[in-house]
Amino acid sequence: MQTLVSILSQGVSLGAVYLLGALGLTIIYGVMGVVNLAHGDLIMLGSYVVALTASALGYPVAVVLAVVGVGAFGWLLDAVLIRFLYDKPVASMLGTWGVAMAIRQAVTLLFGTELRYVALPIGGSLAVGFGATMGWWRIVLVAGAALAAGAVAFVMLRTTLGLQMRAVISQPAAAAGLGLRAAQVNRWTFALGCALAGLAGALVAPLRTVFPGMGLPYLVGAFLVVVLAGLGNVGSTVAWSLAIGLGFAAVAVPAGDTVANIVVWCAALAIIAARRTSVAVARV
Amino acid sequence: MEHTRRTFVRRLGAGLGAMTLGGGLLAACGEDDESPASGAASSGDAPIKIGLLSSLSGVLSITEKSIHNGALLAVEQVNAAGGINGRRLEPITEDYASDFTIAVQKANKLITQDKVAIVVGGYTSASRVAVIPTFQKHDALFFYGTYYEGLECDTHTMYAGAVPNQFLVDYVPWIIENLGKRLYIVGSDYIYPRTVSKIVEKLAKDHGGSVVADRYFQLGTTEFGSTIADIRAKRPEVVISNLVGDSTPAFYKQYRSAGLTADDLPIAATVTTEVEVAAMGAEEAAVHYMTATYFQSLDNPANKAFVEAYQAKYGKDGVTHMPLVGTYNAVWLFAEAAKKAGDDLSTDALRKALVGVAYDGSPEGQPAVMGPNHHTNHPSYVGRTNDRGQFDIVATFEPRDADPFPPEVVPAGRAPTCPTPFKA
């Protein structure tokens, strides 16, 4: 029973981290057809903003700075580079991978490779029953991921930008023909996706380790979710994040992370193979 | 078909020709090299050149810059104390930029162009393994100051850092006596933590303890929730951490965040140094345990003088640590051996002089003595992290000789005789 409760709580917590990483990636890919391989390093940027400002300004202000700062960085990035890569998945992979390396090396140059410290804003843990516990910060992570998913769903379904985003996703030519300014929609979508990466980085920083190379595992996890969940669909992204988190925890709690990685990735490969789609053709 | 095959054969021939030509060029370069010993053996009061090979740039530079500082401090002190039989030490620094290919080139340059007497440096095992063949080829000596996994004792390498038996043989019985008998081991997944884990497991069994589980994580892992849940379920009495670098702060933070405290379930670590403690915040690491052959907080006259000199030279916030002290000792051990060897600083003469030579001022608190297996002896300590991010010393153990091929890892009769030619 303790193992089962541990799996559930750890699975939900892992799912929240997957979801935080995947949300930004999925709307960018869905709307713009850009495979953003810099997403992990944008998460790293969010963590660095918090690591550098939290002790001076307090953690809540640092989170706002991370979201706004990485979002603004994304807006600029779209203006100077990404807009040339729309709907070219292969070129966008190469281009954003270059951006990823540039970000990582710039951070290394400016701040060095040493590990950074972000104090846990809320310590301690909650007994969730049967001898299992869940750290309060993991609960905050889950709440933060749920809020972010809710906010993205709200933007997609209830705002003009969301309506335009959905129009660009489903009928790009018709949307342009109706006078939709796709360039503006794309720019704000990319900024929103980057802001979500900033939020992800800000929320995981206190629990994980902050250093220039930290972004890659988040990118890989987010990709797994996006490939399985399809693009631009918030509900499906939430469901697959949870499924992967729970599936991973179900193996990792009793058998260790190495075995869990093997099982989860083999399962993902089997699902993708059964669907006969790939990253390059997944866009409908 | 025929055409294709002929083209292929012709291309193959051209390729082989180019390779042969390349080989000839390389061989020609090799013949031009003079023996480093003949260059270094000039006597009189000419300075004695020593090479310092460290990463002053790139990902390893944070630690290696401080190691290089330690070597420079030792050179300065040797010279201030009158040098070697009246001759000054002249350090020649080469930055290998955290790139092991460059490390080999720089080692070559130091030996063949600068004709240094010895080279001191390296940090990761990968850096050491990369350069050793160069020293064998040129019959020159390499001094390595970082603690490492052992399983090696080379004819052309002098190891001034510790191997696992020197800090584990006393630590594990201490853990079982003071912290608990049921151990849960977590470690990063490469040779150093794996070797340490094997030795811990064997020692634990020999002293009435047991290992309830062990788990390994690829480098860069920062999510330990599943393992911490398993630790709760298996109810060990001590957690042994052989995690390194970026994994360490994440593990300690998630451990405490899951409600596990040092009072209920202490962590006894082998690689959690002052550097990792600073990256997780002292309150996360307090009051867990760590073993080392050196802590900055060691209370002995040699260490006090050493830390004072280091901070006077490099700033009052300068942190001293195990690999830094090992490299510092390496320079001093060379100086003491060179005094003994007199005018003949050839590799053979130095090697003879080095075995048995002692440096009395080691900050580790006991004289460092170079053994016949080219490894030095080391005392070891158990430190408990305090709320300033330093370690309070709670146990002190007498120096142990190095056993690079401990029986816990290498079956009896299979250990080679030390020192042996290195095989990568």
Side-chain angles (χ1 to χ4, degrees), chain A residues 10 113-114 117-118 124-125 133 135 138 206-209 211 252-254 256, chain B residues 59 62 215 222-223 225-226 230 232 246 250 253-254 257-258 279-280 283:
Chain A
Q10 173 63 14
T113 52
E114 65 255 53
Y117 169 52
V118 178
S125 63
T133 61
R138 288 192 185 272
L207 207 55
R208 303 269 183 99
T209 311
F211 61 103
V253 170
Chain B
V59 293
I62 297 284
R215 284 194 179 183
T222 55
E223 171 58 54
S226 307
D230 190 52
R232 277 195 163 277
D246 38 21
K253 287 177 116 174
Q254 291 167 32
S257 159
M280 68 179 92
E283 74 271 24

PDB file of all heavy atoms in Angstrom, chain A residues 10 113-114 117-118 124-125 133 135 138 206-209 211 252-254 256, chain B residues 59 62 215 222-223 225-226 230 232 246 250 253-254 257-258 279-280 283:
ATOM      1  N   GLN A  10       4.408  10.274  -6.451  1.00  0.00           N
ATOM      2  CA  GLN A  10       5.581  10.563  -7.263  1.00  0.00           C
ATOM      3  C   GLN A  10       5.195  10.688  -8.730  1.00  0.00           C
ATOM      4  O   GLN A  10       5.725  11.532  -9.455  1.00  0.00           O
ATOM      5  CB  GLN A  10       6.635   9.462  -7.049  1.00  0.00           C
ATOM      6  CG  GLN A  10       7.853   9.534  -7.945  1.00  0.00           C
ATOM      7  CD  GLN A  10       8.661  10.804  -7.738  1.00  0.00           C
ATOM      8  OE1 GLN A  10       8.469  11.523  -6.758  1.00  0.00           O
ATOM      9  NE2 GLN A  10       9.554  11.097  -8.680  1.00  0.00           N
ATOM     10  N   THR A 113      30.359  27.448 -14.754  1.00  0.00           N
ATOM     11  CA  THR A 113      29.686  26.154 -14.757  1.00  0.00           C
ATOM     12  C   THR A 113      29.275  25.710 -13.359  1.00  0.00           C
ATOM     13  O   THR A 113      28.715  24.638 -13.200  1.00  0.00           O
ATOM     14  CB  THR A 113      30.607  25.070 -15.338  1.00  0.00           C
ATOM     15  OG1 THR A 113      31.845  25.138 -14.643  1.00  0.00           O
ATOM     16  CG2 THR A 113      30.848  25.280 -16.814  1.00  0.00           C
ATOM     17  N   GLU A 114      29.565  26.517 -12.331  1.00  0.00           N
ATOM     18  CA  GLU A 114      29.294  25.992 -10.997  1.00  0.00           C
ATOM     19  C   GLU A 114      27.795  25.846 -10.746  1.00  0.00           C
ATOM     20  O   GLU A 114      26.980  26.512 -11.355  1.00  0.00           O
ATOM     21  CB  GLU A 114      29.942  26.856  -9.908  1.00  0.00           C
ATOM     22  CG  GLU A 114      29.391  28.262  -9.806  1.00  0.00           C
ATOM     23  CD  GLU A 114      30.356  29.269 -10.392  1.00  0.00           C
ATOM     24  OE1 GLU A 114      30.760  29.063 -11.558  1.00  0.00           O
ATOM     25  OE2 GLU A 114      30.676  30.247  -9.705  1.00  0.00           O
ATOM     26  N   TYR A 117      22.384  27.821  -6.418  1.00  0.00           N
ATOM     27  CA  TYR A 117      21.596  27.489  -5.252  1.00  0.00           C
ATOM     28  C   TYR A 117      20.306  28.302  -5.231  1.00  0.00           C
ATOM     29  O   TYR A 117      20.327  29.526  -5.295  1.00  0.00           O
ATOM     30  CB  TYR A 117      22.443  27.776  -4.012  1.00  0.00           C
ATOM     31  CG  TYR A 117      21.700  27.725  -2.709  1.00  0.00           C
ATOM     32  CD1 TYR A 117      20.930  26.612  -2.387  1.00  0.00           C
ATOM     33  CD2 TYR A 117      21.773  28.770  -1.802  1.00  0.00           C
ATOM     34  CE1 TYR A 117      20.254  26.552  -1.199  1.00  0.00           C
ATOM     35  CE2 TYR A 117      21.110  28.721  -0.605  1.00  0.00           C
ATOM     36  CZ  TYR A 117      20.346  27.612  -0.301  1.00  0.00           C
ATOM     37  OH  TYR A 117      19.677  27.565   0.878  1.00  0.00           O
ATOM     38  N   VAL A 118      19.150  27.628  -5.169  1.00  0.00           N
ATOM     39  CA  VAL A 118      17.867  28.296  -4.939  1.00  0.00           C
ATOM     40  C   VAL A 118      17.251  27.642  -3.705  1.00  0.00           C
ATOM     41  O   VAL A 118      16.975  26.443  -3.700  1.00  0.00           O
ATOM     42  CB  VAL A 118      16.907  28.129  -6.138  1.00  0.00           C
ATOM     43  CG1 VAL A 118      15.577  28.801  -5.841  1.00  0.00           C
ATOM     44  CG2 VAL A 118      17.522  28.715  -7.396  1.00  0.00           C
ATOM     45  N   GLY A 124       9.585  21.069   4.183  1.00  0.00           N
ATOM     46  CA  GLY A 124       8.703  20.146   4.870  1.00  0.00           C
ATOM     47  C   GLY A 124       7.884  19.304   3.917  1.00  0.00           C
ATOM     48  O   GLY A 124       7.967  19.434   2.706  1.00  0.00           O
ATOM     49  N   SER A 125       7.098  18.397   4.498  1.00  0.00           N
ATOM     50  CA  SER A 125       6.369  17.461   3.663  1.00  0.00           C
ATOM     51  C   SER A 125       5.004  17.173   4.259  1.00  0.00           C
ATOM     52  O   SER A 125       4.733  17.449   5.424  1.00  0.00           O
ATOM     53  CB  SER A 125       7.152  16.165   3.524  1.00  0.00           C
ATOM     54  OG  SER A 125       7.283  15.560   4.798  1.00  0.00           O
ATOM     55  N   THR A 133       5.117  10.073   1.914  1.00  0.00           N
ATOM     56  CA  THR A 133       5.047  11.522   2.086  1.00  0.00           C
ATOM     57  C   THR A 133       5.209  12.194   0.731  1.00  0.00           C
ATOM     58  O   THR A 133       5.695  11.596  -0.221  1.00  0.00           O
ATOM     59  CB  THR A 133       6.167  12.044   2.998  1.00  0.00           C
ATOM     60  OG1 THR A 133       7.421  11.713   2.389  1.00  0.00           O
ATOM     61  CG2 THR A 133       6.089  11.466   4.388  1.00  0.00           C
ATOM     62  N   GLY A 135       6.687  16.026  -0.553  1.00  0.00           N
ATOM     63  CA  GLY A 135       7.228  17.316  -0.155  1.00  0.00           C
ATOM     64  C   GLY A 135       6.272  18.430  -0.545  1.00  0.00           C
ATOM     65  O   GLY A 135       5.605  18.351  -1.583  1.00  0.00           O
ATOM     66  N   ARG A 138       6.743  19.746  -3.983  1.00  0.00           N
ATOM     67  CA  ARG A 138       6.198  18.928  -5.075  1.00  0.00           C
ATOM     68  C   ARG A 138       4.711  19.239  -5.264  1.00  0.00           C
ATOM     69  O   ARG A 138       4.196  19.238  -6.385  1.00  0.00           O
ATOM     70  CB  ARG A 138       6.410  17.445  -4.784  1.00  0.00           C
ATOM     71  CG  ARG A 138       7.876  17.023  -4.912  1.00  0.00           C
ATOM     72  CD  ARG A 138       8.025  15.501  -4.916  1.00  0.00           C
ATOM     73  NE  ARG A 138       9.427  15.104  -4.914  1.00  0.00           N
ATOM     74  CZ  ARG A 138      10.148  14.954  -6.026  1.00  0.00           C
ATOM     75  NH1 ARG A 138       9.602  15.168  -7.205  1.00  0.00           N
ATOM     76  NH2 ARG A 138      11.413  14.587  -5.946  1.00  0.00           N
ATOM     77  N   PRO A 206      14.099  25.220  -7.235  1.00  0.00           N
ATOM     78  CA  PRO A 206      14.384  24.945  -5.825  1.00  0.00           C
ATOM     79  C   PRO A 206      14.574  23.463  -5.514  1.00  0.00           C
ATOM     80  O   PRO A 206      15.230  23.118  -4.527  1.00  0.00           O
ATOM     81  CB  PRO A 206      13.145  25.481  -5.093  1.00  0.00           C
ATOM     82  CG  PRO A 206      12.505  26.430  -6.044  1.00  0.00           C
ATOM     83  CD  PRO A 206      12.784  25.867  -7.406  1.00  0.00           C
ATOM     84  N   LEU A 207      13.991  22.578  -6.351  1.00  0.00           N
ATOM     85  CA  LEU A 207      14.017  21.151  -6.031  1.00  0.00           C
ATOM     86  C   LEU A 207      15.138  20.413  -6.762  1.00  0.00           C
ATOM     87  O   LEU A 207      15.597  19.368  -6.333  1.00  0.00           O
ATOM     88  CB  LEU A 207      12.669  20.533  -6.427  1.00  0.00           C
ATOM     89  CG  LEU A 207      12.201  19.299  -5.667  1.00  0.00           C
ATOM     90  CD1 LEU A 207      12.177  19.548  -4.177  1.00  0.00           C
ATOM     91  CD2 LEU A 207      10.823  18.881  -6.149  1.00  0.00           C
ATOM     92  N   ARG A 208      15.568  20.957  -7.889  1.00  0.00           N
ATOM     93  CA  ARG A 208      16.585  20.278  -8.691  1.00  0.00           C
ATOM     94  C   ARG A 208      17.899  21.045  -8.560  1.00  0.00           C
ATOM     95  O   ARG A 208      18.079  21.819  -7.624  1.00  0.00           O
ATOM     96  CB  ARG A 208      16.125  20.213 -10.151  1.00  0.00           C
ATOM     97  CG  ARG A 208      14.759  19.520 -10.329  1.00  0.00           C
ATOM     98  CD  ARG A 208      14.938  18.040 -10.555  1.00  0.00           C
ATOM     99  NE  ARG A 208      13.675  17.338 -10.802  1.00  0.00           N
ATOM    100  CZ  ARG A 208      13.223  16.998 -12.002  1.00  0.00           C
ATOM    101  NH1 ARG A 208      13.901  17.332 -13.076  1.00  0.00           N
ATOM    102  NH2 ARG A 208      12.102  16.317 -12.145  1.00  0.00           N
ATOM    103  N   THR A 209      18.822  20.855  -9.506  1.00  0.00           N
ATOM    104  CA  THR A 209      20.105  21.543  -9.456  1.00  0.00           C
ATOM    105  C   THR A 209      20.191  22.496 -10.649  1.00  0.00           C
ATOM    106  O   THR A 209      19.805  22.124 -11.750  1.00  0.00           O
ATOM    107  CB  THR A 209      21.260  20.539  -9.518  1.00  0.00           C
ATOM    108  OG1 THR A 209      21.012  19.514  -8.561  1.00  0.00           O
ATOM    109  CG2 THR A 209      22.586  21.212  -9.213  1.00  0.00           C
ATOM    110  N   PHE A 211      22.378  24.513 -13.275  1.00  0.00           N
ATOM    111  CA  PHE A 211      23.685  24.643 -13.912  1.00  0.00           C
ATOM    112  C   PHE A 211      23.449  24.735 -15.416  1.00  0.00           C
ATOM    113  O   PHE A 211      22.359  24.421 -15.894  1.00  0.00           O
ATOM    114  CB  PHE A 211      24.600  23.474 -13.539  1.00  0.00           C
ATOM    115  CG  PHE A 211      24.099  22.123 -13.960  1.00  0.00           C
ATOM    116  CD1 PHE A 211      24.623  21.483 -15.063  1.00  0.00           C
ATOM    117  CD2 PHE A 211      23.082  21.493 -13.247  1.00  0.00           C
ATOM    118  CE1 PHE A 211      24.155  20.231 -15.462  1.00  0.00           C
ATOM    119  CE2 PHE A 211      22.603  20.260 -13.644  1.00  0.00           C
ATOM    120  CZ  PHE A 211      23.137  19.628 -14.736  1.00  0.00           C
ATOM    121  N   ALA A 252       9.820   2.946 -11.494  1.00  0.00           N
ATOM    122  CA  ALA A 252      11.000   3.489 -10.814  1.00  0.00           C
ATOM    123  C   ALA A 252      10.951   3.301  -9.300  1.00  0.00           C
ATOM    124  O   ALA A 252      11.982   3.056  -8.676  1.00  0.00           O
ATOM    125  CB  ALA A 252      11.155   4.971 -11.152  1.00  0.00           C
ATOM    126  N   VAL A 253       9.776   3.404  -8.685  1.00  0.00           N
ATOM    127  CA  VAL A 253       9.731   3.264  -7.225  1.00  0.00           C
ATOM    128  C   VAL A 253      10.186   1.870  -6.796  1.00  0.00           C
ATOM    129  O   VAL A 253      11.081   1.749  -5.970  1.00  0.00           O
ATOM    130  CB  VAL A 253       8.326   3.619  -6.671  1.00  0.00           C
ATOM    131  CG1 VAL A 253       8.221   3.246  -5.198  1.00  0.00           C
ATOM    132  CG2 VAL A 253       8.045   5.105  -6.869  1.00  0.00           C
ATOM    133  N   PRO A 254       9.632   0.797  -7.390  1.00  0.00           N
ATOM    134  CA  PRO A 254      10.147  -0.511  -6.950  1.00  0.00           C
ATOM    135  C   PRO A 254      11.454  -0.932  -7.617  1.00  0.00           C
ATOM    136  O   PRO A 254      12.243  -1.635  -7.011  1.00  0.00           O
ATOM    137  CB  PRO A 254       9.020  -1.490  -7.329  1.00  0.00           C
ATOM    138  CG  PRO A 254       8.277  -0.819  -8.422  1.00  0.00           C
ATOM    139  CD  PRO A 254       8.420   0.658  -8.212  1.00  0.00           C
ATOM    140  N   GLY A 256      13.804   1.112  -9.739  1.00  0.00           N
ATOM    141  CA  GLY A 256      14.895   2.038 -10.048  1.00  0.00           C
ATOM    142  C   GLY A 256      14.698   2.771 -11.361  1.00  0.00           C
ATOM    143  O   GLY A 256      13.992   2.310 -12.254  1.00  0.00           O
TER     144      GLY A 256
ATOM    145  N   VAL B  59      34.655  23.560 -19.066  1.00  0.00           N
ATOM    146  CA  VAL B  59      33.735  23.134 -18.014  1.00  0.00           C
ATOM    147  C   VAL B  59      34.428  22.727 -16.721  1.00  0.00           C
ATOM    148  O   VAL B  59      33.841  22.811 -15.645  1.00  0.00           O
ATOM    149  CB  VAL B  59      32.837  21.964 -18.480  1.00  0.00           C
ATOM    150  CG1 VAL B  59      31.891  22.396 -19.571  1.00  0.00           C
ATOM    151  CG2 VAL B  59      33.660  20.783 -18.956  1.00  0.00           C
ATOM    152  N   ILE B  62      36.476  25.587 -13.081  1.00  0.00           N
ATOM    153  CA  ILE B  62      36.203  26.060 -11.721  1.00  0.00           C
ATOM    154  C   ILE B  62      37.110  25.344 -10.723  1.00  0.00           C
ATOM    155  O   ILE B  62      37.822  25.956  -9.930  1.00  0.00           O
ATOM    156  CB  ILE B  62      34.730  25.800 -11.337  1.00  0.00           C
ATOM    157  CG1 ILE B  62      33.811  26.590 -12.246  1.00  0.00           C
ATOM    158  CG2 ILE B  62      34.488  26.143  -9.875  1.00  0.00           C
ATOM    159  CD1 ILE B  62      33.730  28.031 -11.946  1.00  0.00           C
ATOM    160  N   ARG B 215      21.332   1.689  -5.846  1.00  0.00           N
ATOM    161  CA  ARG B 215      20.805   2.236  -7.105  1.00  0.00           C
ATOM    162  C   ARG B 215      21.809   3.198  -7.712  1.00  0.00           C
ATOM    163  O   ARG B 215      22.465   3.950  -6.996  1.00  0.00           O
ATOM    164  CB  ARG B 215      19.490   2.968  -6.851  1.00  0.00           C
ATOM    165  CG  ARG B 215      18.321   2.017  -6.635  1.00  0.00           C
ATOM    166  CD  ARG B 215      17.016   2.746  -6.730  1.00  0.00           C
ATOM    167  NE  ARG B 215      15.915   1.810  -6.546  1.00  0.00           N
ATOM    168  CZ  ARG B 215      14.636   2.138  -6.633  1.00  0.00           C
ATOM    169  NH1 ARG B 215      14.294   3.392  -6.881  1.00  0.00           N
ATOM    170  NH2 ARG B 215      13.702   1.238  -6.473  1.00  0.00           N
ATOM    171  N   THR B 222      18.755  14.583 -11.869  1.00  0.00           N
ATOM    172  CA  THR B 222      18.412  15.492 -10.770  1.00  0.00           C
ATOM    173  C   THR B 222      17.020  15.201 -10.231  1.00  0.00           C
ATOM    174  O   THR B 222      16.442  16.028  -9.558  1.00  0.00           O
ATOM    175  CB  THR B 222      18.488  16.965 -11.212  1.00  0.00           C
ATOM    176  OG1 THR B 222      17.649  17.152 -12.355  1.00  0.00           O
ATOM    177  CG2 THR B 222      19.902  17.372 -11.563  1.00  0.00           C
ATOM    178  N   GLU B 223      16.468  14.028 -10.525  1.00  0.00           N
ATOM    179  CA  GLU B 223      15.141  13.667  -9.994  1.00  0.00           C
ATOM    180  C   GLU B 223      15.280  12.363  -9.211  1.00  0.00           C
ATOM    181  O   GLU B 223      15.640  11.337  -9.780  1.00  0.00           O
ATOM    182  CB  GLU B 223      14.145  13.516 -11.139  1.00  0.00           C
ATOM    183  CG  GLU B 223      12.797  12.944 -10.736  1.00  0.00           C
ATOM    184  CD  GLU B 223      12.098  13.763  -9.662  1.00  0.00           C
ATOM    185  OE1 GLU B 223      11.919  14.975  -9.847  1.00  0.00           O
ATOM    186  OE2 GLU B 223      11.735  13.183  -8.623  1.00  0.00           O
ATOM    187  N   GLY B 225      12.828  11.390  -6.666  1.00  0.00           N
ATOM    188  CA  GLY B 225      11.590  11.108  -5.933  1.00  0.00           C
ATOM    189  C   GLY B 225      11.307   9.619  -5.790  1.00  0.00           C
ATOM    190  O   GLY B 225      10.965   9.143  -4.700  1.00  0.00           O
ATOM    191  N   SER B 226      11.460   8.870  -6.884  1.00  0.00           N
ATOM    192  CA  SER B 226      11.135   7.439  -6.843  1.00  0.00           C
ATOM    193  C   SER B 226      12.062   6.705  -5.881  1.00  0.00           C
ATOM    194  O   SER B 226      11.626   5.836  -5.118  1.00  0.00           O
ATOM    195  CB  SER B 226      11.278   6.836  -8.244  1.00  0.00           C
ATOM    196  OG  SER B 226      10.541   7.576  -9.172  1.00  0.00           O
ATOM    197  N   ASP B 230      11.428   4.676  -2.329  1.00  0.00           N
ATOM    198  CA  ASP B 230      11.927   3.320  -2.081  1.00  0.00           C
ATOM    199  C   ASP B 230      12.744   3.266  -0.795  1.00  0.00           C
ATOM    200  O   ASP B 230      12.685   2.293  -0.044  1.00  0.00           O
ATOM    201  CB  ASP B 230      12.768   2.857  -3.281  1.00  0.00           C
ATOM    202  CG  ASP B 230      13.120   1.377  -3.196  1.00  0.00           C
ATOM    203  OD1 ASP B 230      12.190   0.576  -3.001  1.00  0.00           O
ATOM    204  OD2 ASP B 230      14.308   1.036  -3.315  1.00  0.00           O
ATOM    205  N   ARG B 232      12.253   5.134   1.834  1.00  0.00           N
ATOM    206  CA  ARG B 232      11.259   5.117   2.912  1.00  0.00           C
ATOM    207  C   ARG B 232      10.697   3.719   3.121  1.00  0.00           C
ATOM    208  O   ARG B 232      10.521   3.257   4.251  1.00  0.00           O
ATOM    209  CB  ARG B 232      10.096   6.053   2.571  1.00  0.00           C
ATOM    210  CG  ARG B 232      10.355   7.487   2.917  1.00  0.00           C
ATOM    211  CD  ARG B 232       9.052   8.267   2.888  1.00  0.00           C
ATOM    212  NE  ARG B 232       9.213   9.514   3.585  1.00  0.00           N
ATOM    213  CZ  ARG B 232       9.120   9.648   4.890  1.00  0.00           C
ATOM    214  NH1 ARG B 232       8.816   8.614   5.644  1.00  0.00           N
ATOM    215  NH2 ARG B 232       9.325  10.821   5.458  1.00  0.00           N
ATOM    216  N   ASP B 246      26.314  17.538 -10.118  1.00  0.00           N
ATOM    217  CA  ASP B 246      24.979  18.123 -10.217  1.00  0.00           C
ATOM    218  C   ASP B 246      23.895  17.266  -9.564  1.00  0.00           C
ATOM    219  O   ASP B 246      22.848  17.771  -9.189  1.00  0.00           O
ATOM    220  CB  ASP B 246      24.623  18.417 -11.683  1.00  0.00           C
ATOM    221  CG  ASP B 246      25.140  17.344 -12.616  1.00  0.00           C
ATOM    222  OD1 ASP B 246      25.395  16.233 -12.137  1.00  0.00           O
ATOM    223  OD2 ASP B 246      25.288  17.617 -13.814  1.00  0.00           O
ATOM    224  N   ALA B 250      20.521  18.104  -5.722  1.00  0.00           N
ATOM    225  CA  ALA B 250      19.132  17.706  -5.965  1.00  0.00           C
ATOM    226  C   ALA B 250      18.730  16.584  -5.019  1.00  0.00           C
ATOM    227  O   ALA B 250      17.644  16.607  -4.431  1.00  0.00           O
ATOM    228  CB  ALA B 250      18.953  17.276  -7.418  1.00  0.00           C
ATOM    229  N   LYS B 253      18.331  17.915  -1.353  1.00  0.00           N
ATOM    230  CA  LYS B 253      17.167  18.795  -1.202  1.00  0.00           C
ATOM    231  C   LYS B 253      15.874  18.000  -1.232  1.00  0.00           C
ATOM    232  O   LYS B 253      14.972  18.221  -0.427  1.00  0.00           O
ATOM    233  CB  LYS B 253      17.153  19.843  -2.328  1.00  0.00           C
ATOM    234  CG  LYS B 253      18.221  20.906  -2.160  1.00  0.00           C
ATOM    235  CD  LYS B 253      18.193  21.842  -3.342  1.00  0.00           C
ATOM    236  CE  LYS B 253      17.804  23.232  -2.894  1.00  0.00           C
ATOM    237  NZ  LYS B 253      17.905  24.201  -4.000  1.00  0.00           N
ATOM    238  N   GLN B 254      15.765  17.051  -2.184  1.00  0.00           N
ATOM    239  CA  GLN B 254      14.538  16.268  -2.286  1.00  0.00           C
ATOM    240  C   GLN B 254      14.404  15.323  -1.099  1.00  0.00           C
ATOM    241  O   GLN B 254      13.296  15.023  -0.651  1.00  0.00           O
ATOM    242  CB  GLN B 254      14.515  15.508  -3.617  1.00  0.00           C
ATOM    243  CG  GLN B 254      14.358  16.465  -4.790  1.00  0.00           C
ATOM    244  CD  GLN B 254      14.650  15.832  -6.137  1.00  0.00           C
ATOM    245  OE1 GLN B 254      14.416  14.650  -6.343  1.00  0.00           O
ATOM    246  NE2 GLN B 254      15.157  16.627  -7.065  1.00  0.00           N
ATOM    247  N   SER B 257      13.195  17.505   1.669  1.00  0.00           N
ATOM    248  CA  SER B 257      11.843  17.939   1.326  1.00  0.00           C
ATOM    249  C   SER B 257      10.831  16.808   1.492  1.00  0.00           C
ATOM    250  O   SER B 257       9.653  17.050   1.722  1.00  0.00           O
ATOM    251  CB  SER B 257      11.836  18.464  -0.111  1.00  0.00           C
ATOM    252  OG  SER B 257      10.554  18.433  -0.638  1.00  0.00           O
ATOM    253  N   ALA B 258      11.289  15.556   1.388  1.00  0.00           N
ATOM    254  CA  ALA B 258      10.385  14.418   1.580  1.00  0.00           C
ATOM    255  C   ALA B 258      10.216  14.080   3.056  1.00  0.00           C
ATOM    256  O   ALA B 258       9.583  13.090   3.402  1.00  0.00           O
ATOM    257  CB  ALA B 258      10.902  13.203   0.816  1.00  0.00           C
ATOM    258  N   ALA B 279      26.348  24.546  -3.053  1.00  0.00           N
ATOM    259  CA  ALA B 279      25.335  24.616  -4.104  1.00  0.00           C
ATOM    260  C   ALA B 279      23.959  24.168  -3.640  1.00  0.00           C
ATOM    261  O   ALA B 279      22.985  24.355  -4.341  1.00  0.00           O
ATOM    262  CB  ALA B 279      25.765  23.777  -5.307  1.00  0.00           C
ATOM    263  N   MET B 280      23.866  23.532  -2.470  1.00  0.00           N
ATOM    264  CA  MET B 280      22.542  23.121  -2.001  1.00  0.00           C
ATOM    265  C   MET B 280      22.105  23.961  -0.805  1.00  0.00           C
ATOM    266  O   MET B 280      20.938  23.926  -0.418  1.00  0.00           O
ATOM    267  CB  MET B 280      22.524  21.636  -1.642  1.00  0.00           C
ATOM    268  CG  MET B 280      23.344  21.267  -0.436  1.00  0.00           C
ATOM    269  SD  MET B 280      23.262  19.509  -0.051  1.00  0.00           S
ATOM    270  CE  MET B 280      24.645  18.847  -0.923  1.00  0.00           C
ATOM    271  N   GLU B 283      21.925  24.413   5.127  1.00  0.00           N
ATOM    272  CA  GLU B 283      20.871  23.801   5.949  1.00  0.00           C
ATOM    273  C   GLU B 283      20.375  22.476   5.361  1.00  0.00           C
ATOM    274  O   GLU B 283      19.897  21.613   6.080  1.00  0.00           O
ATOM    275  CB  GLU B 283      19.707  24.779   6.185  1.00  0.00           C
ATOM    276  CG  GLU B 283      18.812  25.010   4.996  1.00  0.00           C
ATOM    277  CD  GLU B 283      19.304  26.152   4.111  1.00  0.00           C
ATOM    278  OE1 GLU B 283      20.515  26.472   4.128  1.00  0.00           O
ATOM    279  OE2 GLU B 283      18.491  26.733   3.402  1.00  0.00           O
TER     280      GLU B 283
END
